[in-house]
Every structure is written in C-alpha cells, then in structure tokens.
Amino acid sequence: MNKDTRLKASVNQRLTEMGERERLKELLRAKLTECGWKDQMKAHCKDVIKEKGLEHLTVEDLVAEITPKGRATVPDSVKKELLHRIRTFLAQHAS
C-alpha cells in the first residue's frame, strides 16, 4: 500500500470513528438537494432509462452510465465546503 493510500485510509478511519463521516454525508445530501443536483441526476436517470429501455438496463448499467456526469456536475462550492470541513476536523483532531 502506497503512502497516499495509507493516508486516505487513516483519514477515513478517523472520520468514521468520530462520527464525522456520517455528518459530512448528511451535509453533502442536503447541499446536493439544495443546489438542484439531485433533481438533475434524477432527470438524467429517466432519460437514460427512456433511451435504453427499462428491460435492457440493469441497476449496475444505470450507475455506470450516470456516475461520470454525477461526479462532473457536483458544484465546486459543495466540493470546497466539504474539503474545508474535512481539513478543519483533521486540524482539530490531530494527534
């Protein structure tokens, strides 16, 4: 395991152990709903289903189809706020 992978695992473990990961997930859900991202993705899902046909599409196929757009369309402000909160949490809980 390389240094970046170990660091990521360590940060994730600390966030999980202290309950901050769940709080960040709730914040993310709220922010994505608030900015309309969730509705955009729901509409994109419907478009993909109409285009490919429900009988020819698995959940895995749908996820693979919408994931790139979903990641690309998360507003920068949401990403920055989450990153700021993670950095603040780590600074406060550094050991």
Side-chain angles (χ1 to χ4, degrees):
M1 197 174 347
N2 67 31
K3 185 178 177 181
D4 287 343
T5 304
R6 285 193 309 269
L7 179 60
K8 185 177 178 180
S10 175
V11 167
N12 196 25
Q13 181 180 358
R14 180 166 288 185
L15 289 169
T16 301
E17 286 172 354
M18 304 205 56
E20 188 66 12
R21 189 167 195 267
E22 283 304 313
R23 286 188 287 276
L24 290 170
K25 284 169 59 175
E26 285 302 317
L27 173 68
L28 178 60
R29 281 185 196 103
K31 291 292 182 182
L32 291 176
T33 299
E34 182 182 299
C35 73
W37 179 92
K38 185 177 172 184
D39 291 333
Q40 288 176 350
M41 291 309 299
K42 188 185 290 187
H44 183 53
C45 286
K46 289 179 181 180
D47 291 344
V48 170
I49 291 168
K50 283 180 188 173
E51 177 186 319
K52 302 207 178 216
L54 187 57
E55 60 281 345
H56 302 291
L57 193 64
T58 66
V59 172
E60 292 81 13
D61 293 339
L62 182 60
V63 169
E65 180 82 24
I66 67 166
T67 296
K69 180 177 181 170
R71 288 186 176 152
T73 57
V74 173
D76 286 342
S77 61
V78 174
K79 293 175 188 177
K80 286 177 185 174
E81 183 172 352
L82 280 174
L83 185 57
H84 174 72
R85 292 212 182 204
I86 292 168
R87 286 181 174 155
T88 301
F89 173 83
L90 293 175
Q92 291 172 347
H93 297 89
S95 54

